[in-house]
Amino acid sequence: MENVPPELQQGLRSMGLLAPDTFARGQPLAGGVSSDIWHIALPDGREACIKRALPKLKVAADWRAPIVRNRYEARWLARAAEAAPGSVPMLLGQDEASGTLAMEWLPPDRHPVWKARLHDGIADAAFAGDVGRRMARIHAYAAERPELASDFPTDSLFHAIRLEPYLIATARVHQDLAPKLVALAARTAATKLTMVHGDVSPKNILVGPEGPIFLDAECAWWGDPAFDLAFCLNHLLLKCLWTPRAAIGFLQCFEVLATAYLASVAWEAPATLEARAASLLPGLLLARVDGKSPVEYLTEESDKARVRRVARHLVKCPPDRLRTIRAAWGEEVGA
């Protein structure tokens, strides 16, 4: 382990996790583009995960976001822990001045990242169903408590780190689809129903001993739960190109996750939510090759062309059921 940077040390002191005359040591963790993340050891022997939001994200495009987003991540973690105990790491503290947040450390040997398991071709449909159910439980809890909306005044932040870099940036590349992509962004921005995570991706989900654990709610927002559903399902489509031998299993995960989630929707008509998710998903699919945050594992132009072929058609002719997307993608990848 090495010395933790001074700004993180100060954040730990401000959170009351580190005495003024002591120092933490740690190890930087890879994988994030929006934060510096460290595994740290405190002088009293406790371990923690600490992250500091970056003003400029670590991507090729000029993508900036306010570091105050850690404030809302902390609020999301606290509420999600109430909604679905065990589904998030325990929040240890948050310091707005330094943009740092501390959580319990979850050992990787007992909490592998779902993305890594998918890369290995492990298509666990039962786990995918648990992801859908826990996501819906969190959405349902907040939807029943509309007063929580005031805890997430993050419309401009969500636009800056989700709607603009995904849908609006993609509209600039595919100008013939721009009216439809911009309309999707506008509809999403205007739909205010519950507390949204904003980055429900396999890289942000741990396979815990008791089920899925959600991480990295920097995009937390009061808005459209269909965004979380579509965002997560999108990754199961893309993984079919990353690990082709598991494509059939990944599409089964897609079906099971969607079914489990929709079966738990009670705050609105499930078919209404599904229609929003189904029409949004193709725009998000296209964004992962032509937006500001392309997935790092699609490097072959032939794979990008496959995404564009399916996504463009579905943006032009928006589906209202998720099975339509599953069928179109399954035909494309032979699954």
Side-chain angles (χ1 to χ4, degrees):
M1 286 193 167
E2 57 190 85
N3 290 329
V4 174
E7 58 272 21
L8 296 185
Q9 302 272 9
Q10 183 55 48
L12 289 167
R13 294 190 179 97
S14 297
M15 287 182 258
L17 298 174
L18 190 64
D21 57 346
T22 61
F23 296 89
R25 292 178 63 77
Q27 178 179 346
L29 302 176
V33 301
S34 61
S35 297
D36 284 331
I37 308 174
W38 286 68
H39 169 210
I40 64 164
L42 297 169
D44 61 8
R46 288 182 297 165
E47 294 180 275
C49 178
I50 185 169
K51 59 187 295 190
R52 180 174 65 95
L54 298 172
K56 183 182 184 302
L57 280 63
K58 294 180 281 188
V59 296
D62 185 16
W63 185 359
R64 300 174 185 271
I67 64 169
V68 73
R69 60 190 185 271
N70 267 356
R71 172 195 303 169
Y72 306 111
E73 179 174 11
R75 293 177 182 177
W76 187 93
L77 287 169
R79 296 303 185 181
E82 296 170 358
S87 64
V88 295
M90 182 187 305
L91 178 66
L92 301 180
Q94 191 259 339
D95 176 50
E96 293 186 15
S98 60
T100 55
L101 180 149
M103 301 165 287
E104 68 173 316
W105 171 248
L106 299 174
D109 60 334
R110 298 184 65 237
H111 303 83
V113 178
W114 192 25
K115 179 178 179 179
R117 291 172 66 89
L118 293 173
H119 185 226
D120 291 340
I122 301 172
D124 186 342
F127 180 81
D130 286 341
V131 170
R133 277 183 287 273
R134 287 199 176 189
M135 191 193 320
R137 194 179 308 162
I138 293 168
H139 288 162
Y141 176 90
E144 294 171 356
R145 295 162 176 80
E147 67 276 9
L148 296 181
S150 61
D151 287 344
F152 299 94
T154 56
D155 285 1
S156 60
L157 178 59
F158 194 79
H159 179 86
I161 58 182
R162 278 297 170 264
L163 299 180
E164 195 285 328
Y166 284 79
L167 298 173
I168 305 302
T170 304
R172 290 194 288 269
V173 177
H174 297 270
Q175 295 189 11
D176 61 318
L177 300 180
K180 289 185 176 292
L181 293 168
V182 171
L184 285 172
R187 186 194 68 193
T188 302
T191 304
K192 301 291 192 176
L193 294 173
T194 192
M195 181 180 75
V196 173
H197 179 287
D199 197 5
V200 183
S201 158
K203 71 178 176 63
N204 291 332
I205 300 174
L206 303 181
V207 182
E210 305 299 327
I213 299 172
F214 299 96
L215 309 175
D216 292 339
E218 291 186 15
C219 307
W221 171 60
W222 189 267
D224 188 358
F227 186 91
D228 278 349
L229 178 60
F231 198 88
C232 189
L233 292 174
N234 188 33
H235 283 275
L236 292 173
L237 300 180
L238 292 164
K239 297 301 182 287
C240 294
L241 298 178
W242 196 25
T243 310
R245 60 185 170 82
I248 293 175
F250 292 163
L251 289 179
Q252 184 183 10
C253 288
F254 179 105
E255 294 171 7
V256 172
L257 192 158
T259 300
Y261 178 90
L262 292 169
S264 302
V265 172
W267 60 90
E268 63 177 309
T272 301
L273 188 151
E274 183 182 7
R276 293 199 310 276
S279 58
L280 175 62
L281 201 160
L284 297 178
L285 181 62
L286 189 58
R288 297 321 298 260
V289 294
D290 289 325
K292 286 187 178 180
S293 183
V295 288
E296 82 286 355
Y297 50 82
L298 292 189
T299 57
E300 298 294 330
E301 284 303 318
S302 58
D303 283 339
K304 295 178 183 180
R306 300 176 85 179
V307 171
R308 293 184 185 113
R309 180 163 50 246
V310 174
R312 281 180 53 83
H313 170 72
L314 292 172
V315 171
K316 289 178 182 178
C317 304
D320 59 4
R321 292 293 178 263
L322 291 165
R323 63 174 176 265
T324 304
I325 299 172
R326 183 258 179 263
W329 189 247
E331 183 176 352
E332 176 65 36
V333 300

